[in-house]
Structure formats: C-alpha cells, structure tokens
Amino acid sequence: MDNSVVINLKEIKKIYDMGGAEEVQALRGVSVEIHKNEYVAIMGPSGSGKSTLMNIIGCLDTPSSGLYEFNGVNVSEMNDNQLAKVRNKEIGFVFQTFNLLARSDALHNVELPLIYAGVTSGERKRLAREALNHVGLGDRVHHKPNELSGGQRQRVAVARALVNRPSILLADEPTGNLDSKTGDEIMILFEELHHQGNTIILVTHEEYIAEHAHRIIRVRDGMVETDERVDKRKTVTTV
Amino acid sequence: MHFLSEVKEGLIIAFRAIRANKMRSVLTTLGIIIGIVSVTMMATAIEGVDRAFEKSASAFGSKVLYIQKFPWVQHDDWWKYRNRRDMKLEYAVAISQQATLVDAVAPSAVTMKDSRFGSRTMLGTFITGTTHHYQEASGTTIEDGRFFSQEESDGGRPVCIIGANVAETLFPSIDPIDQTIKVGGFPYKVLAVLEKQGGMFGTFTADNRIFVPINSFINQFGSRRGVLISARVAAGADIEEAKEELRGIMRKLRHLTPGQEDDFNINEQEMLTQIFGAITAVIAGIGFFITGLSLFVGGIGIMNIMYVSVTERTKEIGIRKAIGARRRTILMQFLVEAASICLIGGLIGLAIAYPLSLIADQLIPTAMPVSVVAIALFVSLLVGVISGFLPAYKASKLDPVDALRYE
C-alpha cells in the first residue's frame, strides 16, 4: 500500500497574543509526520495544546511559525479561501457535539460539503445517499438531527466527513457525547473506515478510546511528549 | 463553486430561517412593506398630477405661440408689465403677412359678460373676440357645428362658438346649434360647440368661453383689455426660430430701437411645462425623501435582525466554514437572506399599494406605472443587500475556531 506522507509538521509554534505584553505559547515546536492509512490518536490533558494542534492540522487555524505540508503542499501560509478549499476537499471533520445543521435533514447535511465543492445537484444526492448507506443510515436520509439518536447523529457527521473522499478523517472526541455502547459502535465504524484505507486522526483524552489507534502521540505543555506505536491492538469486542 | 448553486443554497437557508422565526420575520418585513407602500403611493400620486397637468397643458397646444403684453411666468415687478403699451389688433394682420414660419395667426380679445338663453344664465362667462383663423391658430377642436367664416368674421356678424361647459349650462336639454343666446345683452347665434377640454386650469380653458367675431366684439365690448395674438408654428418649422422671427416682427411693429428691451412677451406651453416640472420636482423630492425615510427605517430593521441572526447562527457559520464554505459563500448566504426578506416585503407592499392606487384613481386619474413596480422591487432588493451587507460581512469574517466554540 502507498505509504506517502500526508501530514508533515515541522517545528510548529502557535503563540496567542493575550493583549499587552502577555502571550501564551500554545504550541512550542511540534514536529510530527503522519502517513497515509495511519490511525493516530493525539492525547493530552486539557491545556496541553492538543486542541490547537488539531485546529492547525484541520486547517482551521494557521501556525505562528513552522512548516505544515499537507500532501506535500505548504499550507502554513495559505489564505482563508485556500484553507477553506483544503478543509472542503482534504479534511473530514467529526466533532464531539456532532455539529449538524439542526434545520436540515441528514441528506442535506451530508450534501453540504459537495455544495461547497460545486458538485451538481443530481451527483450530490447520489454521493450523499451512498455515504449515508455506508454508515448504515440508508433508511434515515430525510430525518432531521433531532429525530435521530446520538449515535445516528454521529454517523451522519461521519458520512458528511467522508462524502468528499478526504485525505484524512479528523475526529475530535467523537465519542465524548455518547454512551459507552454507542461510542463503541462509532469506534467499530472508525476501524472499518481505517481498514478501507482511510487515514484517521483521533483527538481524545480518554485512554481506552486512544487504544483503538495504532499510534499514540501524547502532547503536554505544547510539546510532543511521546510518540509510540501500539503493538497489541485492543479490539472493541473484548471490552 | 457555482454562483447559482450558492444562491440556491442561500435561498433554501433563507426560507428555513424565515419560517423558523415567523413573528420576527413578519415584524421585520412590515417595515419594508410600509416603506414600499408609501414610496409607490407617492410615485402614483405624482404620476396622477403629471397626467392631469399634461392633459390641461395640451389645451394650449404645444406648437402655438402667444404674443402678449404679460408673460405667463413673471420674473419682474408686475407694474413693469402693466405699464407696457397695449397689444393692437393690427399686429395680427402684419404678422400673418410678414411671418414665414407660422401658418395661422389670430388675434383675440377677452372680456367677461353674463350669457343667457331663455331663463338660463351663465354669470361671468369669458367672451373671446377673434377671427376665423382662431381655430387653426389655437388648435381647438369643434365637437359639433362649424367655426365662423371669413365673411362672418370680417363683417362682425352676430354669431358665436360656445365651450362645452357653456353648452351644458345654457342648453341642458336641447341642441344649441342655431339657437340665439344673449351675450352681455347682445344676441348671438350659436354656430358650434367645442370639444370638452377638462383639466386643472378650470375656468381658463375654452370650456367656459364664448367665441365671437372680433369686429363685433370691439363694437359691443371695446378692446380696453388689449389683445392676445395666437400664432401656430408651421409644420416642420422650429419653434425657437419661429419665436425669433415673431420677436423681430413685433420689435419692428413696436418701433423698438436695438438697445431697448422687448415690451411684449411670446408665451408658449413649454413655459408652463417647465414651471410645472420644477414644482413637481420639488414636491417629488420632498415626498420621496419623506417616504424614503420610512423605507430607510425598514432597512435598519433588516440590518438589526440580520445582526441578531448572525449572532444566533455563529455556530452554524463555524460548521459551514469547517466543511469548506468560503467567506464569499457565507457573505452570499446572509445577503440572499436579507434580500429575500426585503423582496418579499416589496411584493407584499406592491400587493397593498396596487388596490390603493385604484382607489386614488377615483380622486385624480392615475395608475401605478409599470416602471414604479419595477423600481420598487429593485429598491427593496437593494435595501436588502445594503442593510444585509454589514451583518453578512461580519459573519464571513468570523474565525472558524471561535465560531465553532461558540455556544
């Protein structure tokens, strides 16, 4: 399988100016390489800088200094519109709070990235249905988020994240708002997606969730504390 | 991303938002509705006044020049005009012989007398003494009968032409033609009735007049008040050139030396049109300013509600940005929403204003011009875009990280 580098972070720093002389160094030189079809967990306590790191990886934010190459393209100096395009085509977000549009049904929610990508209406509907089928919600396409269970909502979010065939799936505490059984179901889904060749980056502070990944990067005080491969993978069925 | 699907997505979002906040949308739209109703009603009223004026002014004929002692629009002290020499009947003959750019010249003198037929009386009728050329020179139209001939005119025969109101007053039930009426005590046989002119100049139109041969007029009523000479500009001739030619002839007849000012005026319909145009422009300016204010207030309402909408939907904006919406897309979304609210307001406003204009039509003949409909819709769209811009811009500038964190 192709093992090319998808994400290459070199000496990434992020400094927040808090006004006056005060500034906060959220990231103090992070260097990480993530390859295609890796399943990586980023861990760290709150305030460790893992959210900042995730925002930068997700192209929601830009680093103060350092180099960020995405598929070999320097994204650290891109403008808002270029970043929007990368987020749209290359990154699939899954959030803790699902972040679906409340007034839109599942189909429209999944269609949204395709609308922004300029895909024609007919093709959009087809791809969106396909993505919903893929996460097992083929019979829920016209349900609105409030008519779906938490797990189903997160599946819609996963379908939305995957519909544009992104290079990475970036999940921020995807099970944080779910009970453990539904959380496990989502983790099984992630494992399937990984098997199908997707690159997954999971941000979490929970050890047992991180154990699903094949590599765990621990962040503390804005630096990478440890970066290690998990040899013995824990499977959900043994929980 | 295609512009059209961006607009379409914007429309879907807009209508969902409007439906979700019904009361708020109704109240916001109300401001625009009131604004559009008042602006379109103002436009309709001005259209009505314009039409009434045009109809009235056409009574003077657009190609007729009136040579008079007094100007229609006075710029100087009235006494200056008052002290001018009177106009003389002979000028008409001289002008018709010398002028090449006018094809009909008629003098006329006016006085006010009571007219009577049997037991019916019309008090203070305007009596105009003129020649057989008057009909061509002034462009009046005969409803029934004939104008007096050259013989009747030259010989000062006791014949007359009556205006439509005179006919209605003196002859409510019988045909006036060939009846003999008493004008200032003298008998005159009615030859014809003029077509009704109507209009806003009321008593000054031919409707309230009686026309008699000028020779009998002078014999019976005198010509103290002086004469007015009407001259019709020949077909194909330039009005300004004809005016200049008449001015030259008049100066010669009046023996004016090159340094002397004109002591007469050549009046034309255009002067009234200009004055009227200036007056309506002022009325329209003030009217549109005041009604425009209500539309402006409506626009502020839209801006206010759009700011609320942007704040409420900060999270949504963050989500959209995270999955690839560009600034322009977000800007467009909120602009389309504001424009939709305003356009709906504009349509409702027109739906209210149109029946109102039909009611107004009963008072002054008017109609809502198609251009007003088009402009009203365009303006409401514009109000939406302008008042939606700042909130939409604010939304488009939101930082995706902050917006996503917003609860």
Side-chain angles (χ1 to χ4, degrees), chain A residues 55 60-61 80-81 84 87-88 93 95 97 99-101 103-104 108 112-113 115-118 121 124 160, chain B residues 1-2 5 9 16-17 20-21 315-316 319-327 329 399-401 404-405:
Chain A
N55 287 338
L60 288 166
D61 208 348
D80 282 4
N81 278 343
R87 290 196 295 268
N88 181 238
F93 287 98
F95 301 95
T97 52
N99 284 350
L100 299 175
L101 299 186
R103 297 197 198 105
S104 304
H108 190 80
L112 213 53
I115 293 176
Y116 295 143
S121 176
R124 276 201 316 256
R160 181 179 67 185
Chain B
M1 165 164 191
H2 301 287
S5 53
E9 172 71 9
R16 272 201 199 116
N21 304 295
K315 181 107 183 182
E316 178 195 319
I319 297 169
R320 289 178 183 273
K321 285 199 158 190
I323 61 178
R326 287 183 295 170
R327 276 191 188 172
T329 316
D399 180 56
V401 177
L404 274 172
R405 212 180 283 142

Side-chain angles (χ1 to χ4, degrees), chain B residues 62-94:
Chain B
S62 61
K63 297 203 79 184
V64 182
L65 298 172
Y66 298 87
I67 307 162
Q68 279 172 286
K69 182 170 156 181
F70 290 97
W72 285 352
V73 182
Q74 300 187 356
H75 298 287
D76 284 315
D77 186 21
W78 183 78
W79 284 100
K80 186 189 145 190
Y81 303 115
R82 176 70 190 78
N83 290 334
R84 286 171 165 183
R85 285 172 287 165
D86 282 331
M87 299 291 292
K88 293 203 184 88
L89 202 54
E90 301 87 77
Y91 296 161
V93 183

Side-chain angles (χ1 to χ4, degrees), chain B residues 11 22 29 38 41 71 87 153 163 165 175 180 189 205 224 241 244 286 296 358 364 402:
Chain B
L11 278 175
K22 282 192 197 72
T29 316
S38 53
M41 288 314 292
M87 299 291 292
S153 173
N165 288 349
D175 183 11
T180 299
K189 193 173 86 169
T205 59
R224 273 185 308 112
E241 281 174 25
E244 227 13 73
I286 296 169
F296 180 72
L358 294 183
I364 45 165
D402 292 341

Side-chain angles (χ1 to χ4, degrees), chain B residues 5-18:
Chain B
S5 53
E6 227 166 65
V7 171
K8 195 182 155 204
E9 172 71 9
L11 278 175
I12 293 171
I13 299 162
F15 284 101
R16 272 201 199 116
I18 291 167

